Amino acid sequence: MVERDHLEIQANSSVRKRIDEAIAHHPKDWPDFLPPEIQIISTTNSGAFLVDCEFFALKTIGIMKRLQSIFPNSIVQSPQTGDIIVYFKKDQPEATHVGRYQEDGKIISKWGLGPVVKHEIDHVPSMYGNTVLFFKISDEELQHSERDLNLKRS
């Protein structure tokens, strides 16, 4: 449950509404209809499988939804370049989306199996929620946690 150090983002911005409309009205080619405030960085998936936001931002599989419980002491109030931003729906403990904070204050993330985009913190689909947390976690810590989680599943 998101309880501390979180940031509430604007739920009803005109950009969010246009993002939601593009996704709802153009299910197969919605990236072509995104508002100009959203910068598409890449539209291709690479490798033998499709990459989602977690694998793109964290290079992990299966820990994004539980970052808050795995790394409770890694939450930061003032993000820096490369820090992790995690989106939540209000009153739900599991994360819905993840990206990386950039030097210019924008976020780079991958929307589902769609494009890699650069956007403002609150310029995301509504389905990702209105609450965000920032984490400072090294890539080594993420990989170690993913290995531990996989061992527990075995």
Side-chain angles (χ1 to χ4, degrees), residues 94-112:
E94 292 188 344
T96 57
H97 184 61
V98 64
R100 290 284 183 157
Y101 189 83
Q102 301 300 299
E103 186 175 321
D104 60 3
K106 292 189 177 182
I107 307 303
I108 291 188
S109 66
K110 189 156 187 338
W111 292 359

Side-chain angles (χ1 to χ4, degrees), residues 52 54-55 58 60-67 70 145-146 149-150 153:
D52 65 4
E54 178 181 353
F55 195 81
L58 307 178
T60 62
I61 299 172
I63 71 168
M64 174 194 80
K65 292 182 183 236
R66 299 188 355 227
L67 273 180
I70 296 171
S145 293
E146 181 185 36
L149 182 62
N150 288 335
R153 288 182 186 153

Side-chain angles (χ1 to χ4, degrees), residues 22-23 26-35 40 43 114-115 117:
I23 292 169
H26 306 281
K28 293 186 182 202
D29 56 354
W30 60 266
D32 296 336
F33 295 91
L34 289 173
I40 296 178
T43 57
V117 293

Side-chain angles (χ1 to χ4, degrees), residues 114-149:
V116 174
V117 293
K118 187 171 187 178
H119 55 87
E120 298 289 341
I121 290 172
D122 60 343
H123 292 176
V124 294
S126 295
M127 67 182 140
Y128 293 152
N130 299 327
T131 304
V132 298
L133 286 172
F134 295 100
F135 292 84
K136 183 174 289 306
I137 307 168
S138 72
D139 291 341
E140 293 79 22
E141 290 175 293
L142 287 167
Q143 299 304 318
H144 180 75
S145 293
E146 181 185 36
R147 282 191 298 274
D148 288 350
L149 182 62

